[in-house]
Amino acid sequence: MKRRSPLLAGLSLLLFFSLCVLILVILNITLVIPRRAAQTFGLPTDKLSYTQQLYYATLLTLQEESLTRPPDPLGEARLFKVNFGEPTASVIQRLQEEGMI
C-alpha cells in the first residue's frame, strides 16, 4: 500500500477547511443577513426577486449604523413637516439642508 505524502495530506486538509469556511460564508449571506435587515428595517416587498432582496439586505446591513444613528446624538428634537404629495427628492434635500441627515 502506497503512503500519501504529508504535503498532499496537508493540502487536502486545507482544501476541506477552505470549503467549510466558504459554506459558512454563503449560509451567513443567504440566511443571517436578510433576517437581520428585516428585523432592523422591516420586511422587503414580495415584488423583489430573491437576488434583489439579498442585495438590498446586504447594503442595508453594511450601512446600518449610518442609517440608524442621528448625525448629532446630543442634538435637540426639531420639527420637520412633510407636505402632502411632496416628492421624496425634495424631502431628502430639505432634510440634508437642515442637517438632519
Side-chain angles (χ1 to χ4, degrees):
M1 187 169 159
K2 207 173 188 182
R3 222 178 125 184
R4 285 179 132 182
S5 73
L7 179 62
L8 184 59
L11 287 175
S12 298
L13 187 60
L14 181 63
L15 178 62
F16 176 74
F17 178 74
S18 299
L19 286 173
C20 289
V21 169
L22 180 63
I23 289 170
L24 288 174
V25 167
I26 290 171
L27 284 175
N28 183 46
I29 290 172
T30 59
L31 299 174
V32 175
I33 290 177
R35 190 175 305 138
R36 181 175 173 176
Q39 287 174 342
T40 305
F41 300 102
L43 293 172
T45 180
D46 293 335
K47 295 178 182 179
L48 294 174
S49 69
Y50 180 73
T51 306
Q52 290 172 319
Q53 290 180 19
L54 186 60
Y55 174 74
Y56 290 124
T58 304
L59 284 180
L60 287 170
T61 302
L62 290 172
Q63 298 176 12
E64 181 177 353
E65 187 170 331
S66 64
L67 293 170
T68 57
R69 303 281 186 258
D72 183 9
L74 301 176
E76 298 177 11
R78 293 187 279 170
L79 183 63
F80 184 85
K81 291 185 180 182
V82 177
N83 300 316
F84 183 75
E86 184 177 5
T88 305
S90 172
V91 174
I92 292 170
Q93 182 179 355
R94 290 192 309 114
L95 285 167
Q96 287 175 336
E97 289 169 358
E98 294 286 328
M100 294 180 163
I101 59 171

